[in-house]
Amino acid sequence: MQNKLSFHQSSVSLEIIGLPDYSNNENKDQISIISHWKLTIIDKPLIEGKIDHLVPIMDAFYIYSNLLITNEIPIYESKLIDIKADNLHIHNIVLKSTKPNVKPLILKIGNSLLSDTINCFDQLNESSKVRIKNTFANKNIPKKVRFSLNNKVKFLNFIIPPLFAICSLMLFSSAYIYFYSPVEDKENTI
C-alpha cells in the first residue's frame, strides 16, 4: 500500500505518492521511493509525473526565484521546463513532456502562485516524512548568484569574532575603570 503526503499553501497543493524504503529500516509512514507526484495550482491544469520530473522542476523554480531576487534576467531553460518573466508580475512556464507527440503545457502564473509553489517545494524539502534526493543543479546558476550568499556568510564569519572581541574588551575595560579608585591605591602604598 502506497503512502500519500500533501503539502498545501493557499492556492497550490503538492501531493507525493510512494513507499518507504524498508531496507533502511524506515517507518511505514515515510516515503523514500516516490512513484508519483501531483502539483495542483488553482485554475491551472494538473501537473504530474515521476521523481525524474519532480527534482528538475523543483530545481528550475528555485533557480528562477534566485534570479528574480538578485535582479538578474529571470530566464530558466532546460529540456523539461522553461520559465521566464512576461513582466514584473507574470511568469510564463512551459512544461515539456517526455512522451513523444505531446504538446508542451504553457502556464501563466503571478507572483503569489509562484511563491505558493516554492513554499510547497520548501515544505517537501523540510518534511521528515519524505526523503528526496536534492540534486540542486549548481551548474545552471550563474556564478554571481551561486556565490553571493556564500560570500556574505564568509564575510560575516570573518568579521563577527573580532568585532565581538573588541566589544568585550571595551566593556571589561570600562567596567575596570569605573570600579578603579586611584585614592584607595595611594592609601595602600603608604
Side-chain angles (χ1 to χ4, degrees):
M1 184 166 164
Q2 292 192 347
N3 296 332
K4 290 183 182 180
L5 285 173
S6 295
F7 305 97
H8 305 283
Q9 180 63 35
S10 297
S11 54
V12 178
S13 175
L14 175 64
E15 185 177 281
I16 304 295
I17 304 157
L19 299 167
D21 187 359
Y22 291 115
S23 65
N24 287 335
N25 296 325
E26 289 183 355
N27 188 345
K28 66 178 182 176
D29 297 332
Q30 283 188 303
I31 297 176
S32 289
I33 303 167
I34 298 174
S35 60
H36 194 74
W37 60 271
K38 297 177 184 177
L39 180 66
T40 306
I41 302 174
I42 196 165
D43 294 335
K44 305 293 179 200
L46 177 69
I47 302 167
E48 58 186 343
K50 301 199 180 289
I51 187 65
D52 298 340
H53 305 124
L54 178 62
V55 173
I57 288 174
M58 288 173 60
D59 289 347
F61 273 88
Y62 283 129
I63 292 168
Y64 180 77
S65 64
N66 279 334
L67 292 172
L68 280 173
I69 291 169
T70 58
N71 292 325
E72 298 287 324
I73 298 172
I75 295 176
Y76 178 87
E77 295 177 340
S78 72
K79 293 179 182 178
L80 188 61
I81 184 171
D82 294 344
I83 309 175
K84 54 182 143 183
D86 198 16
N87 57 41
L88 289 175
H89 308 288
I90 303 295
H91 311 280
N92 291 323
I93 301 171
V94 178
L95 293 162
K96 304 167 193 171
S97 177
T98 55
K99 296 178 183 177
N101 300 325
V102 176
K103 291 183 179 181
L105 177 63
I106 300 171
L107 304 172
K108 287 184 182 260
I109 63 172
N111 289 337
S112 63
L113 290 176
L114 178 67
S115 175
D116 290 347
T117 305
I118 291 172
N119 189 293
C120 285
F121 291 150
D122 288 343
Q123 290 176 41
L124 171 63
N125 282 331
E126 296 297 321
S127 174
S128 61
K129 292 188 176 187
V130 179
R131 190 176 295 183
I132 186 168
K133 292 180 183 176
N134 193 357
T135 60
F136 192 65
N138 283 335
K139 62 186 177 207
N140 293 335
I141 303 174
K143 282 186 178 182
K144 184 177 180 183
V145 174
R146 189 177 345 150
F147 295 114
S148 66
L149 180 60
N150 196 15
N151 287 340
K152 289 177 186 174
V153 170
K154 284 181 182 178
F155 177 74
L156 287 176
N157 286 340
F158 178 75
I159 275 298
I160 288 179
L163 189 62
F164 184 72
I166 290 170
C167 290
S168 297
L169 282 172
M170 289 175 52
L171 179 69
F172 288 121
S173 298
S174 62
Y176 181 72
I177 290 171
Y178 180 74
F179 291 113
Y180 176 72
S181 175
V183 175
E184 290 176 8
D185 199 33
K186 286 184 181 178
E187 291 176 358
N188 289 340
T189 57
I190 298 179

